[in-house]
């Protein structure tokens, strides 16, 4: 009897030893683009902007999410990440004997997909592990995401594991909290600076009566709150504040109606690119023109907003943009080097049969010979800086030397990369210095751009000034007024005389409203509905 018991115990132990101790629940997520290396950097971008939810029968395993509507700007982010990695891999001075791999996921503009990408980047591609879970992330850092809300999801998911996340365009001031986001960095400034600069821009032109519209998101709500506080300090009055989300068409209709009925002809639009596109479409449909838009970096230089009819709405817009930075060699890479490594099946003499990756990404392949947009890229430089920041951190942790190379036996943990990132200070080949402040952000530098018509009739985003928070007071904000072409075709406005008199006794904002109208030259007078009215042609 004792022998039987011993045999049963031995067999149970053997069976247990053959069972993986770690197993991913569900199917592992596969990256859109990947390459193996000694160290690995993850990426998460909205390479497609629309996602189709599968039908849920609750009897079968749901099918995979399908994405559509290629976002070329986000695709360029992924290409920039790969370009920077390949450049470092071929260099002799940075990580000389260490290869960097990458795993890039497409979140399709969905926070759900962002969560799945975050888990996949931490877990890796293996469905099971034969040994106990080590807790070691499959990547050493993650680059992304583009929008603040998705970045918050990503950072909160990876934060407990001290995995560094570096965003190139998530600007919400809420991400500056080192208590909530101790492992988060960004190669762009917080909106704290942009929002205050918006108020200064409005004041510069004497626009004391404005409207305000923002995205109903972390980005829009936080940015608008800072602007409103700054506007009060600058003596700027806000007639209305409206917000909507891209999934709320009814709220958008309400916003358009408020704009149509308002007296403010200047609108501050603290909107993400998608919401601004939705608002533009509706304003064009309703032929609402003659508005002076003040924009933010998320949309002011977005090529996708340039349509045959958009200039009638957005012409003359002013706003802050991320500075352009030329990345030498990138233009050729996007039409040659990228496809040779990422999609070998696209090569003319390739012996590789059209594989699954190529068949599933035909919309990407259609951009193979297009690079006209590259000279105008802005955020891509921030991706480039982020990759080099990680590489410099790893270079230090692996004790790399020019002669002997790096110590590849050292096991680098993500928390060590976080600590190393806090100390980076280097200059990239175009002369830009890269370092992070106490909140993990870059110094605030913007171009002020103006929507203008070029000599050939095309729309240009003309630089007309700059904002640089690193400069002394009095030199931070510079505008070249002679270069600015303001739309400012303000409609004729009427104010009853009795209302004007009573408003002077009212609030400061009411008085400012009257001042804004009365300070311009009178055009005509008439008496509709028995009331005396003063009608003025308001010129901005």
């Amino acid at each position: 009897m004792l022998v039987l018991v011993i045999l049963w115990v031995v067999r149970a132990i053997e069976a247990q030893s053959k069972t993986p101790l770690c197993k991913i629940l569900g199917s592992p997520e596969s990256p859109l683009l990947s390459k193996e290396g000694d160290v690995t950097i993850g990426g998460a971008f909205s390479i497609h902007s629309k996602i189709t939810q599968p039908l849920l029968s609750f009897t079968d395993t749901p099918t995979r999410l399908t994405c559509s509507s290629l976002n070329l700007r986000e695709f360029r982010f992924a290409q920039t990440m790969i370009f920077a990695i390949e450049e470092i891999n071929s260099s002799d001075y940075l990580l000389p004997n260490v290869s960097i791999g990458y795993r890039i996921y497409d979140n399709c503009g969905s926070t759900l997909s962002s969560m799945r990408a975050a888990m996949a980047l931490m877990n890796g591609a293996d469905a099971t592990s034969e040994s106990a879970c080590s807790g070691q992330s499959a990547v050493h850092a993650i680059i992304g995401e583009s929008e603040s809300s998705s970045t918050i999801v990503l950072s909160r998911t990876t934060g407990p594991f001290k995995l560094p996340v570096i965003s190139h365009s998530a600007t919400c001031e809420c991400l500056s909290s080192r208590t909530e986001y101790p492992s988060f960095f960004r190669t762009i400034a917080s909106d704290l600076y942009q929002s205050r600069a918006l108020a200064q821009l409005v004041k510069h032109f004497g626009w004391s009566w404005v409207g305000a519209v923002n995205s109903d998101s972390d980005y829009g709500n936080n940015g608008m709150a800072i602007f409103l506080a700054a506007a009060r300090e600058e003596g700027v009055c806000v007639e209305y504040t409206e917000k909507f989300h891209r999934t709320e068409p009814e709220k958008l209709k309400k916003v358009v109606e408020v704009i149509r009925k308002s007296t403010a002809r200047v609108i501050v639009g603290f909107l993400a690119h998608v919401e601004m596109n939705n608002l533009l479409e509706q304003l064009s449909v309703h032929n609402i023109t003659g508005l002076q838009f003040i924009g933010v970096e998320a949309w002011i230089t977005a090529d996708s907003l340039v349509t045959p009819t958009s200039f009638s709405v957005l012409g003359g817009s002013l706003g802050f943009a991320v500075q352009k930075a030329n990345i030498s060699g990138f233009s050729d890479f996007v039409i040659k080097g990228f496809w040779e490594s990422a999609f070998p099946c696209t090569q003319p003499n390739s012996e590789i049969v059209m594989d699954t990756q190529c068949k599933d990404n035909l919309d990407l392949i259609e951009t193979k010979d297009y690079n006209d947009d590259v000279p105008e890229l802005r955020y891509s430089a921030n991706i480039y800086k982020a990759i080099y920041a990680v590489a410099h951190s790893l270079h230090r942790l692996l004790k790399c030397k020019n002669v002997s190379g790096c110590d590849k036996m050292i096991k680098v943990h993500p928390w060590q990369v976080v600590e190393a990132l806090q100390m980076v200070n280097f200059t990239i080949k175009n002369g830009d210095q890269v370092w992070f402040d106490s909140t993990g952000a870059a110094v605030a530098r913007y171009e002020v751009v103006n929507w203008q018509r070029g000599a050939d009739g095309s729309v240009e985003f003309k630089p007309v000034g700059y904002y640089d928070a690193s400069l002394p007071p009095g030199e931070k904000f510079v505008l070249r007024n002679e270069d600015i072409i303001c739309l400012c075709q303000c409609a004729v406005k009427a104010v009853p005389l009795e209302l004007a008199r009573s408003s002077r006794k009212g609030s400061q904002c009411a008085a400012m409203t009257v001042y804004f109208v009365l300070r311009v030259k009178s055009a005509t007078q008439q008496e509709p509905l028995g009331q005396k009215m003063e009608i003025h042609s308001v010129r901005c």
Side-chain angles (χ1 to χ4, degrees), residues 8 20 56 61-62 65 80 100 128 140 144 171 329 331 364 383 521:
W8 179 83
L56 301 177
T61 303
L65 301 173
T80 306
I100 304 177
T128 61
H140 292 84
T171 55
S331 184
L364 301 183
I383 299 274
K521 190 174 180 180

Side-chain angles (χ1 to χ4, degrees), residues 93-160:
Y93 78 96
L94 195 58
L95 297 172
N97 61 328
V98 173
S99 63
I100 304 177
Y102 54 84
R103 297 174 62 81
I104 299 175
Y105 285 82
D106 180 6
N107 65 32
C108 306
S110 163
T111 52
L112 170 62
S113 292
S114 296
M115 175 69 78
R116 295 170 72 98
M119 299 302 295
L121 287 167
M122 289 190 293
N123 288 326
D126 296 330
T128 61
S129 175
E130 296 299 330
S131 59
C133 296
S134 65
Q136 173 73 22
S137 171
V139 296
H140 292 84
I142 298 175
I143 310 300
E145 294 200 19
S146 299
E147 293 197 349
S148 293
S149 294
S150 297
T151 304
I152 289 170
V153 171
L154 179 61
S155 297
R156 283 184 172 163
T157 304
T158 59

Side-chain angles (χ1 to χ4, degrees), residues 500-514:
R501 294 191 187 100
S502 62
S503 294
R504 291 192 184 101
K505 302 175 185 178
S507 67
Q508 182 185 18
C509 277
M512 284 189 175
T513 310
V514 175

Side-chain angles (χ1 to χ4, degrees), residues 439-489:
T439 68
V443 67
R445 290 191 180 96
Y446 303 102
E447 276 186 342
V448 182
V449 298
N450 184 205
W451 276 50
Q452 297 185 9
R453 286 281 192 198
D456 59 354
S458 62
V459 176
E460 295 180 351
F461 307 129
K462 184 173 180 178
V464 293
Y466 65 83
Y467 179 92
D468 189 336
S470 67
L471 296 178
E475 299 178 21
K476 294 183 179 183
F477 191 16
V478 174
L479 283 175
R480 297 186 296 275
N481 290 334
E482 66 277 9
D483 293 338
I484 297 174
I485 298 177
C486 177
L487 180 65
C488 292
Q489 297 171 346

Side-chain angles (χ1 to χ4, degrees), residues 57 63 272 279 367 534:
S57 63
T63 57
L279 177 61
T367 69
E534 285 187 274

Side-chain angles (χ1 to χ4, degrees), residues 84-354:
I85 288 173
E86 297 293 356
E87 190 174 74
I88 294 168
N89 283 342
S90 61
S91 74
D92 296 327
Y93 78 96
L94 195 58
L95 297 172
N97 61 328
V98 173
S99 63
I100 304 177
Y102 54 84
R103 297 174 62 81
I104 299 175
Y105 285 82
D106 180 6
N107 65 32
C108 306
S110 163
T111 52
L112 170 62
S113 292
S114 296
M115 175 69 78
R116 295 170 72 98
M119 299 302 295
L121 287 167
M122 289 190 293
N123 288 326
D126 296 330
T128 61
S129 175
E130 296 299 330
S131 59
C133 296
S134 65
Q136 173 73 22
S137 171
V139 296
H140 292 84
I142 298 175
I143 310 300
E145 294 200 19
S146 299
E147 293 197 349
S148 293
S149 294
S150 297
T151 304
I152 289 170
V153 171
L154 179 61
S155 297
R156 283 184 172 163
T157 304
T158 59
F161 304 96
K162 299 180 180 178
L163 178 62
V165 171
I166 310 177
S167 176
H168 51 286
S169 66
T171 55
C172 181
E173 168 61 13
C174 56
L175 284 162
S176 294
S177 171
R178 299 315 268 170
T179 303
E180 292 189 60
Y181 308 100
S183 306
F184 174 73
F185 297 84
R186 49 184 160 192
T187 49
I188 193 170
S190 156
D191 279 329
L192 177 68
Y193 299 94
Q194 180 177 213
S195 296
R196 290 174 176 174
L198 284 171
Q200 294 176 35
L201 180 62
V202 170
K203 182 183 179 181
H204 174 84
F205 291 98
W207 294 325
S208 56
W209 187 242
V210 303
V213 181
N214 66 274
S215 298
D216 192 2
S217 63
D218 296 288
Y219 169 73
N221 292 330
N222 280 271
M224 182 57 72
I226 298 170
F227 166 75
L228 293 175
R232 283 193 294 271
E233 292 178 5
E234 298 288 355
V236 177
C237 294
V238 181
E239 180 185 5
Y240 61 85
T241 304
E242 296 292 331
K243 60 184 178 180
F244 69 97
H245 190 265
R246 63 196 62 175
T247 59
E248 299 174 322
E250 291 304 315
K251 276 193 178 181
L252 174 57
K253 290 180 181 178
K254 175 179 176 290
V255 171
V256 172
E257 186 64 15
V258 169
I259 293 173
R260 189 183 68 81
K261 293 180 177 179
S262 74
T263 58
R265 312 311 298 165
V266 178
I267 299 177
V268 177
F270 214 109
L271 297 153
H273 169 257
V274 177
E275 277 84 9
M276 188 63 213
N277 183 67
N278 294 345
L279 177 61
L280 173 62
E281 287 180 354
Q282 289 302 309
L283 292 176
S284 299
V285 167
H286 292 85
N287 195 30
I288 299 175
T289 59
L291 301 172
Q292 175 61 48
F293 270 93
I294 306 298
V296 290
E297 35 69 45
W299 67 264
I300 195 68
T301 58
D303 286 324
S304 59
L305 295 181
V306 179
T307 66
T309 59
S310 63
F311 195 80
S312 62
V313 177
L314 295 181
S317 293
L318 283 163
F320 296 97
V322 174
Q323 291 181 320
K324 282 194 287 187
N326 178 49
I327 304 174
S328 61
F330 182 60
S331 184
D332 292 333
F333 178 78
V334 299
I335 59 174
K336 187 178 180 182
F338 170 78
W339 303 101
E340 290 175 355
S341 60
F343 292 92
C345 60
T346 61
Q347 300 310 299
N349 300 321
S350 174
E351 296 179 359
I352 301 175
V353 180
M354 180 68 80

